[in-house]
Amino acid sequence: MAGTTATSSSLRRMESVHRHLLPAPPPILHQNPLGATRSESFPVIIGGMVLDIHAKPSMQPHPGTTVPGMVKYISGGVARNIAECIYKLETRPFMISVVGKDMAGDFLLKYWRSAGLCTDGILQVDDVTTPIVSNVFDGSGELIAGVASVGAVEKFLSPSWICQFCACISNAPLLMIDANLSPESLEASCKIAHEVGVPVFFEPVSIVKSSRIAPIAKYITYTSPNEFELVAMANSLSPPEKYNFAKIDQFKNKAKAVEYLFEMLSPAMFFLLEKGIKFLLVTLGSHGVFVCCKECTSLMMDQQKSETTSFSTMLLDKLERCFPSNMLLNFPREGSTRTCVFHLPAVSASVVSLTGAGDCFVGGVISALCGGLDMMQSVAVGIAIAKASVESEANIPDKFSAATIAGG
């Protein structure tokens, strides 16, 4: 009886979200039926585990000399950050990565083991330097410059190593790959998932590496570029380059900024959807997120390999009052189908560091999807979790948990 009451309550809440967010004729929003099923089914995360060195000056930096400031070692790497975020949101990830047998590698694995997470997919190699990224920030937390040494990811996260975990990928509710992987490994991962119908989430990592989506675009279910990565991805699939983006910071209000961003980015967004990508989650910093899909695309995962978590249940009550009703932009295109563009605004935050915010956004989206929420709800969760990240020095906040996000 209690289960029936909970189900009815959830349906009523979803109907409320439907009424507030989507004018007719909308895609249907309701709770994703991921309730039942296999044990030992975890989202699989493939990509870099990196030691981040963060340097933040306490005064204006000067070329050619040092200035006082703070330098920290932080566990990093796009895939590793996303996996840690997922774990803190009550979804256990299976990580496939590589580190060296050195101080940095031991530093990264120490947390993994202390959390009780599986390290079977993490290759530790002799005489290899663990991937390291050194970042320098300004006083506001914006990245000034960075140098990445992640060659070990491309060299040792090979198709043969990844293929050893075919069973894990085949049983996963979702596969996430980051663009630090070699083109060969990206394609091998996608093909394993495609053969068994597992959705693939591609994380672009950087402007340069985002172009690695070109040979695998047809396999990608979700991807989360920022404005510049979006354009680079579109141009990688459309030589010679014809898409561009010019960032303008001066707007009288955020509504005008969103209109400008849509005007500038929509050609690239529509083009990538035509190339086979199912969902584009275009991150716009303080302006929120564009969620783009074809009208005929379901806003739900089809997989039946995860359990609804207490985290996702707690969030259902909050979602319908978190965002205003004017977040939807629905733009028709020529032809028999339409492209739907949803805009979800960012949540105001007291910024400490912007590094890790994008990874927390993706981790939140994946955890929510695997926990039974639909796409719009999952993006709302991702935005809330990105807020927690920018208010912390660490890539993934130390006191970050499902309870703090749902209760905040």
Side-chain angles (χ1 to χ4, degrees):
M1 188 68 176
T4 302
T5 302
T7 300
S8 299
S9 177
S10 295
L11 289 173
R12 287 196 300 271
R13 286 192 291 268
M14 292 305 96
E15 288 169 359
S16 176
V17 172
H18 177 100
R19 288 194 302 272
H20 286 292
L21 299 187
L22 299 176
I28 297 172
L29 288 182
H30 54 84
Q31 190 171 358
N32 194 358
L34 291 177
T37 65
R38 303 184 194 183
S39 59
E40 302 303 310
S41 174
F42 310 120
V44 173
I45 311 298
I46 310 180
M49 296 187 79
V50 177
L51 177 65
D52 281 351
I53 302 174
H54 287 188
K56 189 173 181 180
S58 56
M59 59 182 292
Q60 183 66 30
H62 299 285
T65 188
T66 60
V67 295
M70 178 183 65
V71 178
K72 284 187 174 181
Y73 287 167
I74 297 177
S75 295
V78 170
R80 195 220 67 86
N81 289 347
I82 291 168
E84 181 182 347
C85 180
I86 289 170
Y87 163 68
K88 288 186 173 179
L89 296 176
E90 301 182 3
T91 305
R92 295 183 69 82
F94 184 85
M95 183 83 193
I96 300 176
S97 192
V98 61
V99 296
K101 287 188 177 178
D102 54 15
M103 181 192 73
D106 292 340
F107 178 88
L108 292 168
L109 288 176
K110 181 179 179 180
Y111 172 83
W112 225 245
R113 291 177 176 132
S114 68
L117 292 169
C118 179
T119 60
D120 291 352
I122 303 172
L123 180 64
Q124 193 168 24
V125 185
D126 286 313
D127 301 322
V128 168
T129 300
T130 294
I132 296 175
V133 174
S134 181
N135 292 321
V136 179
F137 301 91
D138 64 18
S140 66
E142 288 275 8
L143 182 66
I144 299 173
V147 177
S149 174
V150 295
V153 176
E154 289 196 31
K155 184 174 181 181
F156 293 101
L157 271 185
S158 62
S160 61
W161 176 252
I162 292 167
C163 285
Q164 294 184 47
F165 304 98
C166 281
C168 292
I169 297 171
S170 298
N171 195 38
L174 181 145
L175 168 67
M176 197 232 76
I177 50 177
D178 82 24
N180 284 311
L181 295 173
S182 69
E184 296 78 15
S185 293
L186 287 170
E187 186 168 12
S189 303
C190 286
K191 285 183 175 179
I192 295 169
H194 179 72
E195 287 174 1
V196 292
V198 171
V200 178
F201 199 122
F202 175 81
E203 219 304 316
V205 175
S206 68
I207 295 172
V208 173
K209 292 183 177 179
S210 63
S211 63
R212 294 183 179 182
I213 198 172
I216 59 170
K218 62 184 177 182
Y219 300 117
I220 302 305
T221 312
Y222 315 100
T223 184
S224 55
N226 63 25
E227 308 99 311
F228 300 101
E229 291 164 348
L230 173 81
V231 168
M233 287 162 60
N235 283 329
S236 72
L237 284 155
S238 179
E241 295 185 359
K242 63 181 182 182
Y243 299 100
N244 60 77
F245 172 68
K247 187 172 184 179
I248 298 178
D249 294 324
Q250 299 298 322
F251 284 98
K252 292 182 180 179
N253 57 58
K254 288 202 171 186
K256 290 291 184 184
V258 170
E259 289 177 13
Y260 170 80
L261 288 166
F262 177 80
E263 182 181 350
M264 288 292 295
L265 299 174
S266 58
M269 292 190 297
F270 295 154
F271 174 74
L272 287 170
L273 291 176
E274 293 295 338
K275 289 297 181 180
I277 295 169
K278 304 301 184 297
F279 289 97
L280 280 167
L281 313 180
V282 184
T283 57
L284 310 170
S286 62
H287 295 301
V289 179
F290 284 146
V291 182
C292 316
C293 64
K294 290 290 186 68
E295 186 179 49
C296 58
T297 303
S298 171
L299 291 175
M300 294 168 47
M301 286 176 64
D302 294 327
Q303 304 305 312
Q304 300 291 323
K305 298 178 181 177
S306 297
E307 295 181 1
T308 301
T309 63
S310 59
F311 168 48
S312 61
T313 303
M314 284 189 288
L315 284 166
L316 287 175
D317 282 330
K318 295 185 65 68
L319 286 174
E320 62 187 57
R321 60 179 186 268
C322 281
F323 297 98
S325 60
N326 64 349
M327 69 178 65
L328 176 67
L329 307 174
N330 194 347
F331 295 90
R333 294 201 64 203
E334 295 180 2
S336 59
T337 62
R338 297 195 306 172
T339 298
C340 297
V341 180
F342 303 81
H343 174 248
L344 276 75
V347 180
S348 60
S350 301
V351 176
V352 175
S353 173
L354 297 173
T355 301
D359 301 339
C360 278
F361 169 76
V362 173
V365 171
I366 291 174
S367 184
L369 285 171
C370 293
L373 302 187
D374 64 35
M375 174 51 66
M376 291 294 289
Q377 297 164 341
S378 298
V379 173
V381 171
I383 290 172
I385 291 164
K387 174 186 184 295
S389 173
V390 301
E391 294 181 333
S392 169
E393 288 281 0
N395 291 335
I396 311 299
D398 293 334
K399 297 182 180 179
F400 176 65
S401 71
T404 58
I405 294 298

